[in-house]
Amino acid sequence: MIIQRVVLNSRPGKNGNPVAENFRIEEVNLPNNINEGQVQVRTLYLSVDPYMRCRMNEDTGSDYITPWQLSQVVDGGGIGIVEESKHVHFTKGDFVTSFYWPWQTKAILNGNSLEKVDPQLANGHLSYFLGAIGMPGLTSLIGIQEKGHITAGSNQTMVVSGAAGACGSLAGQIGHLMGCSRVVGICGTQEKCHLLTSELGFDAAINYKKGNVAEQLREFCPAGVDVYFDNVGGDISDTVISQMNQNSHIILCGQISQYNKDVPYPPPLPPAVEAIQKERNITRERFLVLNYKDKFESGILQLSQWFKEGKLKIKETVVNGLENMGVAFQSMMTGGNIGKQIVCISEETSL
């Protein structure tokens, strides 16, 4: 059977910006037979995420993420339907997901690498398992639970950078749900600002490309900042940290502004900002959601419940076609998405 797949065509270089041409699509033959323990799947949705930028380098700079190899198939979060199974846990028609799903139209996978999903948890929106009811949702929820130190009723102010992205758009809402009295988002367009305040319940939003971020932060956070959910790093974070209160907390979710630079993770703060952090006893600990696997099951149920109750609004930007994986990746890295960036490979969920 001839299928299509996406391979890594070239590396952008440690300090380069990724482009669609770093990926290429090719046709290959998929074996007709599957072995014991394997399943054949048809891909429905694939995820593109900022952390993948590190996988484009020969050295990811991290011990838990492996680099993609040149001319080899690319992989990441994916969801699909089982077409044939020789694995005891899966039957034809099951919906399954994996963190290492190959970017191809169909695949033969080891059943042990897959997890079954219950479409009911997302009211049938299967792509949500790659977003709000998947890794980005868990990252936001567990990050806030473990590193945010929110106490309901104590008038805390949360600031979220990259606030219209996959994690940011959820983190602000979860901040409110967990008891923050004020949530302010920072993003890069007026359209995103409007969405945050009109649909996602943010109390205010700042467009960092317009006006003075420090001044607007002072206006929108008159009592200072208690919790900072950081998706971006760089200058924006330096500005927020400068207005954080004594004994406040940074949730280090991501540092997308630094991913095209050859710097360690998390990147060191400039000396003046580091001095503020130490002086005010602001926590800034590395947060890795994969260290909290024991909390995944209850986390997914909580996210699903909030979604079904209408308390968690889910946004996604969907691009169609495997041939557009590179375009979607480049767009996501430059802020082209609102909510989770998803690529739809096939919408046909019947067999």
Side-chain angles (χ1 to χ4, degrees), residues 3-297:
I3 59 145
Q4 289 186 311
R5 69 176 190 174
V6 173
V7 299
L8 187 64
N9 188 45
S10 56
R11 299 190 191 276
K14 278 199 162 182
N15 297 298
N17 294 323
V19 291
E21 293 70 35
N22 292 135
F23 302 94
R24 76 171 185 269
I25 195 160
E26 56 182 35
E27 291 194 335
V28 290
N29 204 19
L30 196 69
N32 288 327
N33 301 328
I34 64 170
N35 298 325
E36 210 52 50
Q38 291 183 324
V39 293
Q40 181 183 305
V41 292
R42 183 171 75 248
T43 306
L44 299 174
Y45 298 98
L46 293 172
S47 175
V48 290
D49 304 276
Y51 81 87
M52 293 175 166
R53 173 62 186 85
C54 310
R55 300 192 69 187
M56 297 181 83
N57 298 334
E58 274 177 75
D59 173 9
T60 63
S62 135
D63 42 14
Y64 67 94
I65 305 175
T66 54
W68 289 327
Q69 300 301 326
L70 287 170
S71 296
Q72 298 294 314
V73 70
V74 175
D75 65 345
I79 192 158
I81 186 167
V82 174
E83 293 190 317
E84 189 187 341
S85 172
K86 284 194 178 169
H87 190 283
V88 55
H89 290 148
F90 302 104
T91 53
K92 192 174 170 174
D94 283 347
F95 294 107
V96 290
T97 186
S98 168
F99 204 48
Y100 301 102
W101 195 288
W103 288 11
Q104 46 193 62
T105 47
K106 294 191 179 196
I108 293 171
L109 302 175
N110 178 343
N112 293 340
S113 69
L114 297 171
E115 248 175 87
K116 206 182 290 194
V117 296
D118 174 8
Q120 286 299 311
L121 289 173
N123 286 352
H125 295 277
L126 290 168
S127 57
Y128 288 1
F129 290 112
L130 298 179
I133 306 177
M135 269 309 176
L138 288 170
T139 301
S140 305
L141 175 63
I142 297 170
I144 291 170
Q145 284 174 336
E146 295 293 319
K147 303 290 185 185
H149 303 275
I150 294 168
T151 313
S154 58
N155 279 336
Q156 285 163 298
T157 296
M158 174 191 266
V159 171
V160 182
S161 57
C167 286
S169 61
L170 301 169
Q173 299 181 76
I174 292 169
H176 264 320
L177 287 165
M178 292 186 62
C180 280
S181 55
R182 190 161 184 76
V183 176
V184 176
I186 304 175
C187 55
T189 69
Q190 289 307 108
E191 180 198 3
K192 289 177 179 177
C193 284
H194 179 69
L195 171 95
L196 294 182
T197 54
S198 67
E199 287 187 48
L200 303 186
F202 284 68
D203 299 285
I206 296 169
N207 178 353
Y208 70 87
K209 294 178 183 171
K210 264 190 146 169
N212 183 309
V213 175
E215 276 175 24
Q216 294 178 77
L217 262 181
R218 274 191 288 275
E219 180 191 338
F220 294 138
C221 309
V225 178
D226 301 296
V227 185
Y228 173 38
F229 194 97
D230 184 8
N231 288 298
V232 304
D235 294 345
I236 291 174
S237 289
D238 297 344
T239 304
V240 176
I241 293 167
S242 302
Q243 296 190 31
M244 291 185 74
N245 293 327
Q246 195 71 27
N247 303 323
S248 55
H249 303 281
I250 298 168
I251 300 159
L252 209 51
C253 178
Q255 304 279 282
I256 196 168
S257 75
Q258 308 297 303
Y259 287 171
N260 295 328
K261 300 175 189 168
D262 186 11
V263 294
Y265 186 88
L269 297 169
V273 181
E274 192 179 7
I276 290 171
Q277 183 209 342
K278 291 207 159 83
E279 204 175 286
R280 298 184 195 163
N281 192 33
I282 301 168
T283 60
R284 181 182 184 255
E285 299 161 341
R286 187 172 178 172
F287 168 70
L288 180 58
V289 71
L290 297 173
N291 289 342
Y292 298 91
K293 287 186 173 160
D294 58 317
K295 295 187 161 55
F296 282 13
E297 199 177 334

